[in-house]
Amino acid sequence: MYGHLKELRESLGLTQEEFGKSVGIAKTTYNNYEKGERSPKSDFWISVAKKYGVTIDYLMGYSNDPDKVGKENTPTPSVDSVGVLTKDEASRISAAMDQMNEEGRERVAEYAEDLAAGGRFKKPSAAELGEKEA
């Protein structure tokens, strides 16, 4: 289950179907998100946060207060919960993104995708690492 997603929906008095529809997704998709069986993409979190006036940190369970994102008492996500990012990287990225509007956040995501797709900054695959060691 993702953070406070269900809590938010229930506080609004909405069914899963109504909540999903309000952010443009099907009930089954939303149900999978709420149960933690599927991982939402960033546009889902942004849409919910904007529509309902809460922070993404709050929705994902990194903060218990939707108004305290970016403040000292907001816990930094653990490495396990953010995948390949270190705590420092996650904290720096979160702080920078918190200062951006939706267009800025989208441009950051596009830039990161472009960097990953290009050759210079792309992490080598396991096969490539094996070739270098041989």
Side-chain angles (χ1 to χ4, degrees):
M1 182 169 145
Y2 280 100
H4 297 101
L5 196 53
K6 181 177 181 181
E7 182 181 302
L8 173 65
R9 176 184 61 79
E10 289 177 342
S11 75
L12 296 167
L14 299 175
T15 65
Q16 287 184 340
E17 184 173 13
E18 292 167 332
F19 191 89
K21 191 176 201 177
S22 77
V23 292
I25 61 172
K27 177 192 174 201
T28 54
T29 302
Y30 175 77
N31 179 280
N32 287 329
Y33 292 169
E34 194 173 282
K35 292 190 315 187
E37 293 177 0
R38 286 185 62 193
S39 298
K41 294 186 178 181
S42 59
D43 59 340
F44 169 80
W45 296 117
I46 293 167
S47 177
V48 172
K50 286 179 68 177
K51 182 163 186 78
Y52 294 109
V54 295
T55 66
I56 294 171
D57 280 4
Y58 171 76
L59 289 171
M60 296 182 77
Y62 299 144
S63 169
N64 288 326
D65 185 337
D67 297 323
K68 291 188 178 177
V69 67
K71 298 193 177 151
E72 288 180 28
N73 63 349
T74 301
T76 302
S78 68
V79 175
D80 292 338
S81 66
V82 292
V84 298
L85 297 176
T86 65
K87 287 182 181 183
D88 181 57
E89 290 167 337
S91 180
R92 290 173 52 211
I93 291 168
S94 180
M97 298 275 289
D98 186 46
Q99 298 176 39
M100 293 180 201
N101 63 18
E102 185 176 353
E103 181 183 358
R105 289 189 300 268
E106 179 61 28
R107 292 191 66 190
V108 167
E110 290 170 358
Y111 184 62
E113 291 167 350
D114 288 346
L115 287 174
R120 181 172 174 202
F121 299 105
K122 188 170 180 146
K123 183 169 46 173
S125 69
E128 292 171 326
L129 286 173
E131 290 173 12
K132 289 179 183 177
E133 292 175 355

